[in-house]
């Protein structure tokens, strides 16, 4: 596995809830939430497409209360909550065309995933593939600094936009933060990029307002420099945006959703998928394990890979990589994970461990913008295994 050199500049980006791909992720996850409210064991694979004043849903859904779910109303509410509520945006919650092509899940898939069916008489993985979880002590949320700070910028801008503090802001935006690392640790923020959709106002005003916000958000990190560079709407104008500016599709921001390009990615998206899809649930569980390993001071950085075969309950492999920062050999940590006593990576076990069928104080829609990791409301962000990990490893 490749190592990132000790001294380097690393860049990550985030996109706002109004970005067209994120609009799609949120609609897909809101439909998932609506299904699970009717039937916690719903099977959902919901895709969304958006373009100029159009929303299309397609995919496979099996839900005992499906007749009580109105995906069109769900989609309109999501779009309205984001802030697309004016005809001038060319994407309006009250007037977009809606097309529904959702249908039931294949029974061939269902028999391998449903407990008591299939070859193993136990819930198997919803698909083959490999998933990764990552954690780093670079930030308080145990996330890589570039993605953590990119998310913070857009989350603050979203609050400002919705409060009306800067009335010319529109929903679509992107951020990018480049950070110099020395000896593997964040040293300074070299560059900040914000591209934010706005009303047609002067670029000078936009740049003055948004640079101030960038400094307010990032100053507490202690990484800003006098010569940190800021690129605000660097094309000179960003008025046409959202689904009218670019078509959106569910699952197209997998690096924004995870670790900003730090570590590895198995390629599977999250949104619109119920927890039987290990693309989502096992990635969450791998983050849970990696975060506890770093929180237990077993390593400064940790990446976990887990792999599955469709319909098979037991993971095919579990791999631990600490990039040379581990306080012990990686295989010792790996053996603890494989034992299954502290972290059980079988689909039914990890779903139960994280309470993924009965969200308490959160929902899947919450995760669909500003990152699936690093935010404390989600159960995979708990660090409740620290003591038992240290005990298992004789620390």
């Amino acid at each position: 596995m490749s190592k990132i050199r000790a001294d380097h500049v690393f860049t990550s980006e985030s996109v706002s809830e109004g970005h067209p791909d994120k609009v799609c992720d949120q609609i897909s996850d809101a439909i998932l939430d609506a299904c699970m409210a009717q039937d916690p064991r719903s099977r959902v694979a919901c895709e969304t497409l958006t373009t100029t004043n159009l929303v299309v849903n397609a995919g496979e859904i099996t839900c005992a209360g499906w007749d009580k779910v109105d995906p069109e109303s769900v989609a309109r509410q999501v779009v309205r909550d984001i802030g697309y509520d004016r005809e001038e945006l060319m994407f309006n919650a009250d007037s977009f065309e809606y097309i529904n092509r959702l249908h039931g899940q294949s029974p061939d898939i269902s028999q391998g995933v449903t407990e008591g069916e299939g070859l193993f008489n136990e819930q198997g993985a919803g698909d083959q593939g490999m998933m990764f979880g990552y954690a780093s002590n670079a930030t308080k949320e145990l996330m890589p600094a570039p993605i953590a700070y990119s998310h913070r910028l857009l989350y603050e801008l979203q609050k400002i936009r919705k409060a009306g503090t800067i009335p010319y802001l529109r929903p679509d935006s992107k951020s990018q933060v480049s950070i110099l690392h020395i000896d593997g640790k964040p040293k300074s923020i070299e560059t900040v990029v914000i591209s934010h959709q706005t009303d047609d106002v002067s670029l000078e005003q936009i740049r003055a307002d948004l640079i101030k916000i960038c400094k307010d958000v990032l100053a507490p990190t202690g990484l800003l420099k006098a010569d940190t560079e800021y690129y605000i709407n660097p094309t000179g104008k960003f008025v046409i945006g959202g689904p009218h500016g670019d078509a959106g599709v569910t699952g197209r921001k997998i690096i924004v959703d995870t670790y900003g390009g730090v570590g590895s990615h198995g390629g599977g998206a999250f949104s619109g998928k119920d927890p039987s899809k290990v693309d989502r649930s096992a990635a969450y569980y791998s983050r849970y394990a990696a975060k506890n390993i770093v929180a237990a001071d077993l390593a400064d950085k940790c990446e976990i890979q887990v792999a599955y075969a469709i319909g098979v309950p037991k993971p095919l492999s579990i791999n631990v990589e600490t990039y040379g920062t581990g306080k012990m050999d990686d295989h010792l940590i790996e053996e603890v994970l494989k034992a299954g006593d502290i972290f059980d990576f079988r689909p039914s076990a990890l779903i139960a461990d994280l309470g993924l069928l009965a969200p308490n104080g959160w929902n899947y829609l919450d995760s669909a913008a500003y990152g699936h990791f690093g935010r404390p409301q989600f159960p995979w962000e708990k660090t409740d295994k620290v003591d038992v990990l240290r005990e298992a490893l004789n620390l």
Side-chain angles (χ1 to χ4, degrees):
M1 187 174 294
S2 63
K3 305 291 194 298
I4 296 175
R5 66 185 188 274
D7 299 349
H8 65 283
V9 176
F10 199 89
T11 302
S12 296
E13 70 162 350
S14 180
V15 299
S16 73
E17 61 181 12
H19 185 281
D21 294 329
K22 277 290 144 201
V23 172
C24 294
D25 285 345
Q26 290 166 94
I27 292 171
S28 293
D29 269 343
I31 291 172
L32 168 63
D33 285 329
C35 290
M36 293 188 68
Q38 298 297 327
D39 174 11
R41 296 193 176 274
S42 293
R43 296 285 187 259
V44 177
C46 180
E47 308 294 342
T48 305
L49 163 71
T50 63
T51 187
T52 303
N53 228 30
L54 173 69
V55 171
V56 180
N57 281 130
E60 302 76 47
I61 293 181
T62 301
C63 170
W66 178 240
D67 60 322
K68 299 177 183 177
V69 177
D70 182 355
E72 179 177 351
S73 294
V74 171
R76 292 192 187 280
Q77 188 60 52
V78 168
V79 172
R80 187 175 296 108
D81 289 343
I82 291 170
Y84 287 110
D85 53 7
R86 292 176 284 162
E87 289 295 338
E88 65 186 290
L89 300 176
M90 301 297 290
F91 186 68
N92 185 354
D94 296 319
S95 65
F96 66 69
E97 180 186 359
Y98 180 75
I99 299 173
N100 180 359
R101 294 294 183 268
L102 296 164
H103 59 85
Q105 183 188 43
S106 163
D108 295 348
I109 295 175
S110 179
Q111 72 174 357
V113 177
T114 303
E115 190 167 355
E117 301 179 11
L119 298 177
F120 295 93
N121 202 38
E122 180 183 351
Q123 179 174 346
D127 202 351
Q128 71 174 49
M130 62 282 188
M131 299 85 215
F132 291 87
Y134 185 89
S136 164
N137 62 9
T139 61
K140 63 182 181 181
E141 52 266 69
L142 301 188
M143 287 285 288
I147 188 66
Y149 301 152
S150 294
H151 286 323
R152 286 186 201 176
L153 284 169
L154 291 191
Y155 191 72
E156 181 64 22
L157 283 165
Q158 171 223 232
K159 291 193 297 182
I160 289 168
R161 173 177 63 86
K162 289 189 169 181
T165 308
I166 300 180
Y168 61 75
L169 295 179
R170 292 183 173 184
D172 192 1
S173 61
K174 302 177 78 171
S175 64
Q176 189 169 284
V177 178
S178 302
I179 297 181
L180 172 65
H181 293 70
I182 302 293
D183 295 327
K185 301 292 186 182
K187 179 67 175 179
S188 62
I189 296 174
E190 302 294 296
T191 310
V192 179
V193 181
I194 299 285
S195 292
H196 207 302
Q197 184 189 16
T198 68
D199 294 339
D200 197 358
V201 300
S202 74
L203 184 59
E204 290 74 20
Q205 181 180 358
I206 295 167
R207 286 180 171 167
D209 290 343
L210 268 58
I211 287 174
K212 180 181 185 305
I213 292 166
C214 289
K215 290 180 177 179
D216 288 345
V217 171
L218 296 176
T221 69
L223 300 179
L224 287 179
K225 308 183 298 175
D227 61 349
T228 296
E229 293 184 290
Y230 300 89
Y231 294 95
I232 308 298
N233 285 10
T235 66
K237 187 176 184 178
F238 185 11
V239 173
I240 298 171
H244 179 51
D246 289 290
V249 181
T250 298
R252 207 158 57 179
K253 286 292 175 283
I254 60 176
I255 300 303
V256 172
D257 285 344
T258 52
Y259 307 102
V262 176
S264 307
H265 198 295
F270 298 154
S271 290
K273 298 179 181 179
D274 73 86
S276 73
K277 279 74 170 173
V278 285
D279 273 347
R280 182 171 211 163
S281 56
Y284 288 172
Y285 204 68
S286 297
R287 161 64 176 175
Y288 178 42
K291 185 174 183 181
N292 274 271
I293 287 166
V294 172
D297 197 30
L298 305 181
D300 295 336
K301 304 174 184 179
C302 180
E303 179 178 271
I304 294 171
Q305 185 207 53
V306 59
Y308 294 90
I310 188 168
V312 179
K314 186 178 179 181
L316 306 183
S317 64
I318 299 175
N319 181 71
V320 173
E321 170 67 57
T322 64
Y323 299 94
T325 71
K327 306 304 188 288
M328 61 195 65
D329 288 341
D330 291 353
H331 79 272
L332 296 175
I333 304 173
E334 196 172 288
E335 290 305 312
V336 168
L337 297 190
K338 288 178 178 178
D341 298 325
I342 300 174
F343 296 100
D344 189 340
F345 281 83
R346 292 174 301 153
S348 61
L350 67 87
I351 288 169
D353 201 2
L354 295 180
L356 299 182
L357 295 181
N360 182 15
W362 61 279
N363 55 44
Y364 287 98
L365 174 58
D366 292 338
S367 70
Y370 310 109
H372 290 248
F373 305 120
R375 294 192 284 156
Q377 67 264 45
F378 300 126
W380 49 91
E381 295 296 319
K382 299 180 296 184
T383 54
D384 57 346
K385 305 286 190 180
V386 167
D387 291 340
V388 69
L389 270 172
R390 293 181 63 83
E391 183 179 349
L393 289 160
N394 298 314
L395 293 176

